[in-house]
Amino acid sequence: MAASTYAEVAEGVKATIARYTHALDDGRTDDVVDTYCPDGVFDLPGTGTFEGHDALRAAYAKWAPRVPQRHLISNTLVSEWDDHQATATSDVVLLIQIDSAWKVQFVARYTDVLHHDDDGGWMFHRRTVA
């Protein structure tokens, strides 16, 4: 693989975050899990640490939306990167729809470590919520 530019890495990372977020809000558990490396980890303090596709699939299946929801991701900053790994921080706001109104469920920050896969995309190696 040729050396990647910051713009290429940042765009690839943001595309993975968007793919994950759309799948999560749509309740497509398998598509969420597919954004993780086989040994990927999701760390949600107070809830647990989930490692590997089987554990991730079980956790995300339990969290499938029961009402319309939207994770709003902003301020994504890729702070460290090379052709094989990138670290990104993003702010997240979860909105849920109750009756006809949207309400803030939580505000948090994601810290992500992503690995570049053999197919040219980026996958979560570790996602931590703070």
Side-chain angles (χ1 to χ4, degrees):
M1 180 177 143
S4 299
T5 66
Y6 175 82
E8 291 168 332
V9 172
E11 190 60 32
V13 165
K14 289 176 185 179
T16 296
I17 292 170
R19 210 169 58 250
Y20 165 93
T21 303
H22 284 268
L24 183 63
D25 288 341
D26 292 346
R28 293 182 282 117
T29 300
D30 288 337
D31 291 340
V32 170
V33 173
D34 286 344
T35 64
Y36 281 89
C37 299
D39 62 344
V41 176
F42 180 63
D43 184 16
L44 183 59
T47 301
T49 300
F50 309 92
E51 184 171 355
H53 280 186
D54 291 341
L56 291 165
R57 186 171 287 104
Y60 282 106
K62 288 180 188 175
W63 301 326
R66 291 173 181 78
V67 297
Q69 68 179 32
R70 291 292 178 266
H71 286 79
L72 306 179
I73 309 301
S74 65
N75 304 323
T76 299
L77 176 65
V78 176
S79 56
E80 299 177 30
W81 64 277
D82 60 29
D83 288 342
H84 308 288
Q85 181 170 299
T87 301
T89 304
S90 303
D91 295 322
V92 58
V93 176
L94 174 59
L95 300 176
I96 60 170
Q97 188 176 26
I98 305 295
D99 298 321
S100 62
W102 288 91
K103 299 186 180 189
V104 174
Q105 189 71 13
F106 68 75
V107 176
R109 179 163 281 172
Y110 288 135
T111 301
D112 298 318
V113 176
L114 298 97
H115 288 178
H116 196 259
D117 69 15
D118 294 334
D119 294 328
W122 290 90
M123 300 178 77
F124 294 111
H125 179 67
R126 183 173 203 95
R127 170 159 262 206
T128 303
V129 178

